[in-house]
Amino acid sequence: MENLEKPKTWVQESKRIVFFGGAGVSTESGIPDFRSVDGLYNQKFDYPPETIISHSFFLKNPEYFFRFYREKMLPLGFSPNITHKKLAQWEEVGKLTAVITQNIDGLHQKAGSHRVLELHGSVLRNYCMKCHKSYSAEYVKNSQGICRCDCGGIIKPDVVLYEESLDSQVLEKSIYAIAQCDLLIVGGTSLTVYPAAGLLRYYPGHRLVLINRDETPYDNQADLVLHESLGKVFEQLP
């Protein structure tokens, strides 16, 4: 592995770390991502995954949406890995100000993080579109056919589907956190999904660390690039 002395020093010196993460954070907990060889985009369904998890498809064909969603997008029973745990430790000692995540699995909170900004929502929150009653992920998982509320309304997972906008408050808080941080660590994301990837341009500092197995469009803008697994890097950070 490349020399980690620089990121170790930066972590020790920093007081306002922000971590921005994608699917690669959770793959090491066993949750498959979308774009890898075994990911959702390379599996065979009646429709492309982007179509199934779009807002219009959800409204037109909710039964098929829920069948796909229960089978492929409800990652229950998984445990946080070293990256989730280390970030929670940094928050606990006052070094980390925010985790900005594209993931919807809730593993950062499960590891003990509180300052989590979920750009794409969470499978753990579900609400009736008619009366707004809340339901657990387990309720959705164990339901049959179209997931319905006691009132008869359809229950919608609080995840951002294709064709839907990101939550403006979450975006604003993410921009603020990145603009104020003294170390920005970006990990496990291809940085190809917008507007999320565009958040990096709000970082004004000179300690931008990218950790990803593959190259990203932002590699040439980073102050340090590590083409390694997140777990291998994070287990050696202080």
Side-chain angles (χ1 to χ4, degrees):
M1 185 183 290
E2 297 174 60
N3 195 307
L4 290 180
E5 289 310 308
K6 186 181 285 187
K8 284 180 183 177
T9 301
W10 287 355
V11 168
Q12 288 169 337
E13 294 176 349
S14 297
K15 294 180 173 65
R16 297 186 310 279
I17 301 172
V18 167
F19 178 82
F20 177 99
V25 178
S26 293
T27 51
E28 294 181 25
S29 288
I31 298 175
D33 68 1
F34 270 46
R35 290 175 173 78
S36 67
V37 175
D38 300 318
L40 287 183
Y41 286 150
N42 292 301
Q43 297 180 25
K44 301 300 180 188
F45 298 100
D46 296 341
Y47 309 90
E50 305 99 310
T51 300
I52 301 171
I53 52 177
S54 67
H55 179 80
S56 54
F57 190 93
F58 171 74
L59 295 179
K60 288 177 194 170
N61 199 341
E63 189 163 3
Y64 194 99
F65 169 88
F66 276 109
R67 197 168 77 205
F68 177 89
Y69 180 79
R70 289 186 191 100
E71 184 182 342
K72 298 297 181 184
M73 294 186 64
L74 264 181
L76 305 180
F78 291 88
S79 300
N81 59 53
I82 182 63
T83 302
H84 298 108
K85 293 173 184 176
K86 184 77 71 172
L87 292 168
Q89 289 171 19
W90 289 351
E91 181 188 310
E92 190 175 1
V93 298
K95 294 183 77 69
L96 181 133
T97 55
V99 170
I100 302 168
T101 181
Q102 295 171 281
N103 296 335
I104 57 176
D105 51 47
L107 287 183
H108 286 292
Q109 290 92 329
K110 201 170 183 180
S113 290
H114 300 282
R115 298 178 177 179
V116 184
L117 296 166
E118 296 170 312
L119 292 172
H120 297 151
S122 171
V123 299
L124 302 183
R125 297 186 299 271
N126 305 274
Y127 63 91
C128 173
M129 296 172 71
K130 189 174 176 182
C131 74
H132 304 292
K133 181 178 177 181
S134 295
Y135 286 88
S136 68
E138 286 76 17
Y139 181 89
V140 177
K141 183 84 169 178
N142 295 326
S143 63
Q144 301 293 319
I146 299 171
C147 190
R148 291 193 180 274
C149 174
D150 298 334
C151 77
I154 295 177
I155 297 169
K156 184 184 183 297
D158 189 15
V159 298
V160 179
L161 303 177
Y162 284 98
E163 304 165 354
E164 294 180 344
S165 300
L166 301 191
D167 184 289
S168 58
Q169 284 190 317
V170 174
L171 267 179
E172 287 172 15
K173 289 177 181 177
S174 299
I175 290 169
Y176 180 81
I178 288 173
Q180 300 296 317
C181 74
D182 55 10
L183 170 60
L184 177 58
I185 303 175
V186 180
T189 171
S190 60
L191 292 173
T192 56
V193 177
Y194 286 84
L199 292 173
L200 269 63
R201 71 176 184 270
Y202 293 99
Y203 177 59
H206 301 285
R207 291 185 170 183
L208 170 57
V209 181
L210 292 188
I211 309 168
N212 200 53
R213 289 181 184 275
D214 304 313
E215 293 182 6
T216 79
Y218 285 82
D219 281 13
N220 61 350
Q221 298 177 41
D223 301 291
L224 179 64
V225 178
L226 298 170
H227 289 142
E228 295 282 355
S229 84
L230 273 168
K232 285 183 179 177
V233 174
F234 266 78
E235 67 186 6
Q236 297 187 56
L237 293 179

